[in-house]
Amino acid sequence: MTPGALPGPDDIARRELPNGAVILARENPHAPSVVIAGSVHAGSVFDPPERLGLAAFVAASLLRGTTTRDFAAIHELLEGNGASLSISGGLHTAGFSGKSLAEDLALLLDLASDSLRRPAFDLAQVERLRGEMITGQKIREQDTRYLAGRTFRALAYPPDHPYSRPSSGTLDTLAAIDRDDLRDFHRQHYDPRGLIVVIVGAVEPDAALDAAERAFGDWANGTASRSIAVPDAPPLVEAASETVRVPGTSQADLVLGVPGPARSAEDWHAANLANNVLGVFGMYGRIGAEVREKRGLAYYSYSHLDGGLGPGAWRVVAGVDPANVEQAVGAIRAEIRRLLDHGVTGDELADSKANFIGRLPLQLERNEGVAGAILSMERYALGLDYLERYARTIEAVSAEAVVAAARRYLDADRTALAIAGPPLALGEGGRA
């Protein structure tokens, strides 16, 4: 893909509506379809502690009937036109996406607008959804990977930090949520201020913006709270660890890490390149090579940098034989120390940069990828020319910046470590 073919200010149209919503569109005349993607500021960071899972519950309710269409009518319209639409709850936002023929864009936008703005919260649908969510949570409560992740967040972040809490809720909090909770959350947090709508496909940009403005332009909600600020997460002052015993399981899953940078941090790209070397590139980087391939201590092992609007986690995740937990943890810590003490080689950095730059065109091959990229550019205020600048930005990151970012956030010894697995194999007591 040549630089001129990358989405940028010359072919992305942007319009901010009087109600605060932002609409962006890019034409792709080479396929008859159109996709939409967007978000509203209504994620689980706004969940009250006694109603965890509320944001996810609300988002899952939106396509189950509105004040103008019931569940059957919504889905008959979608299926009858070969279209799709989904809405889901996230950490900071509720996200939505859909796809249709270009000629059905107005219908798709109307259904999205109706669902986001006018949910009915029909009692029968609420109770049916509650049952599904509780069933899903019961399954997760036996999933060692989920439990390790949930326990890690509680260890890595202060107790009052929104990132320390499970966004899917608990069995008790899901059971306690009622229709008034759903309605109140919707009234307080679903608002056009902060709404982003992206349209990509076989429609002229101005026509796409006009269609979205007709669907969302008259939305007003003066009661919604617009604060989405997330507090910083201080570095851990000492190691913290916890083991969760799960009867009937045979594998142990572990998560080891620290709070990391937000996506807006100046050293985000440097930290992301460090993470790529540590546990991503070439079948999971250094950690995969040492812990899984060389030592055979893990079924899988990799590192991940969350990013996002707040201080997302920088963590290593591994699935191991319970007998190998201690050795695997030691090997992971050794690889983190090696990165912090010795940095990255010139070849490693060059390979990671080539990987980042080379995979970008693949991410933009489909309308969905382009829509997702534009949504991120708007959400994180990266600028419409971000993709055109991307290769230069990555190439400009030095090896010194990479190791400085790693040292700023990572510490091989002061980490949160969560392990979930079989009771006997993990020993007695509550500490790892």
Side-chain angles (χ1 to χ4, degrees):
M1 180 178 290
T2 63
L6 292 170
D10 291 338
D11 61 6
I12 300 173
R14 183 183 185 276
R15 182 182 300 174
E16 186 168 347
L17 304 185
N19 62 6
V22 175
I23 307 165
L24 303 103
R26 183 179 191 260
E27 184 178 8
N28 175 13
H30 302 299
S33 64
V34 63
V35 302
I36 66 170
S39 63
V40 291
H41 289 169
S44 64
V45 294
F46 299 111
D47 282 349
E50 70 281 1
R51 292 292 186 272
L52 299 180
L54 178 56
F57 205 147
V58 172
S61 300
L62 300 183
L63 283 171
R64 296 194 171 227
T66 71
T67 57
T68 63
R69 299 178 176 100
D70 63 14
F71 177 88
I74 291 173
H75 292 276
E76 284 172 5
L77 278 171
L78 289 170
E79 293 172 6
N81 289 277
S84 63
L85 179 63
S86 64
I87 304 174
S88 60
L91 185 58
H92 291 279
T93 63
F96 57 93
S97 61
K99 185 174 184 177
S100 71
L101 292 174
E103 62 199 56
D104 295 321
L105 174 61
L107 170 65
L108 185 62
L109 290 168
D110 179 59
L111 288 172
S113 175
D114 192 29
S115 299
L116 290 168
R117 297 168 61 180
R118 294 180 283 269
F121 298 118
D122 174 76
L123 182 58
Q125 291 291 341
V126 167
E127 293 308 318
R128 185 174 294 116
L129 179 57
R130 185 198 311 280
E132 294 174 7
M133 295 183 73
I134 287 175
T135 297
Q137 188 61 30
K138 287 180 178 178
I139 294 171
R140 285 189 289 273
E141 295 287 348
Q142 300 301 313
D143 184 334
T144 54
R145 194 165 181 175
Y146 166 80
L147 292 171
R150 184 178 72 181
T151 304
F152 165 79
R153 289 190 294 274
L155 293 171
Y157 294 92
D160 59 348
H161 198 285
Y163 288 9
S164 71
R165 309 182 309 223
S167 59
S168 61
T170 69
L171 295 175
D172 289 339
T173 60
L174 291 173
I177 293 169
D178 61 27
R179 290 175 74 196
D180 287 341
D181 295 322
L182 300 173
R183 289 168 172 160
D184 288 346
F185 186 94
H186 182 268
R187 182 174 61 253
Q188 292 167 10
H189 299 293
Y190 279 76
D191 187 284
R193 292 170 293 175
L195 169 68
I196 304 172
V197 183
V198 179
I199 304 165
V200 177
V203 58
E204 293 182 355
D206 285 343
L209 297 182
D210 290 344
E213 184 166 4
R214 286 191 293 271
F216 293 99
D218 62 345
W219 186 6
N221 183 357
T223 66
S225 169
R226 291 299 88 220
S227 175
I228 198 171
V230 175
D232 291 334
L236 295 169
V237 296
E238 61 181 0
S241 62
E242 184 174 341
T243 296
V244 180
R245 288 160 178 76
V246 189
T249 58
S250 58
Q251 175 176 303
D253 285 88
L254 66 87
V255 182
L256 180 151
V258 296
R263 178 61 182 82
S264 59
E266 291 184 1
D267 57 0
W268 162 257
H269 288 299
N272 206 17
L273 284 164
N275 180 69
N276 204 53
V277 171
L278 179 65
V280 179
F281 182 70
M283 287 300 289
Y284 311 132
R286 291 182 178 181
I287 286 174
E290 180 69 19
V291 180
R292 185 173 64 89
E293 294 297 327
K294 181 179 178 180
R295 300 197 185 193
L297 295 174
Y299 306 115
Y300 69 90
S301 184
Y302 62 89
S303 63
H304 184 76
L305 188 61
D306 286 352
L309 290 170
W314 193 344
R315 65 193 191 275
V316 178
V317 182
V320 304
D321 184 318
N324 294 333
V325 167
E326 186 174 347
Q327 294 181 71
V329 169
I332 290 168
R333 292 193 194 280
E335 288 306 312
I336 294 174
R337 289 191 191 97
R338 185 160 74 93
L339 175 67
L340 300 181
D341 292 344
H342 303 291
V344 299
T345 68
D347 287 344
E348 285 176 323
L349 184 56
D351 287 344
S352 284
K353 288 181 176 181
N355 173 243
F356 277 28
I357 295 168
R359 70 193 186 199
L360 180 63
L362 298 178
Q363 296 169 348
L364 301 174
E365 280 188 335
R366 302 172 66 238
N367 288 340
E368 289 85 350
V370 174
I374 295 173
L375 181 61
S376 292
M377 287 154 59
E378 180 66 29
R379 176 179 295 156
Y380 300 117
L382 302 177
L384 294 183
D385 64 340
Y386 172 74
L387 295 176
E388 296 178 349
R389 292 184 285 106
Y390 181 76
R392 298 192 301 275
T393 300
I394 296 301
E395 289 289 7
V397 179
S398 67
E400 292 77 15
V402 168
V403 71
R407 289 171 178 168
R408 178 176 181 181
Y409 301 103
L410 289 177
D411 187 315
D413 299 307
R414 289 181 292 184
T415 61
L417 169 62
I419 304 165
L424 296 179
L426 292 179
E428 302 300 327
R431 309 297 287 181

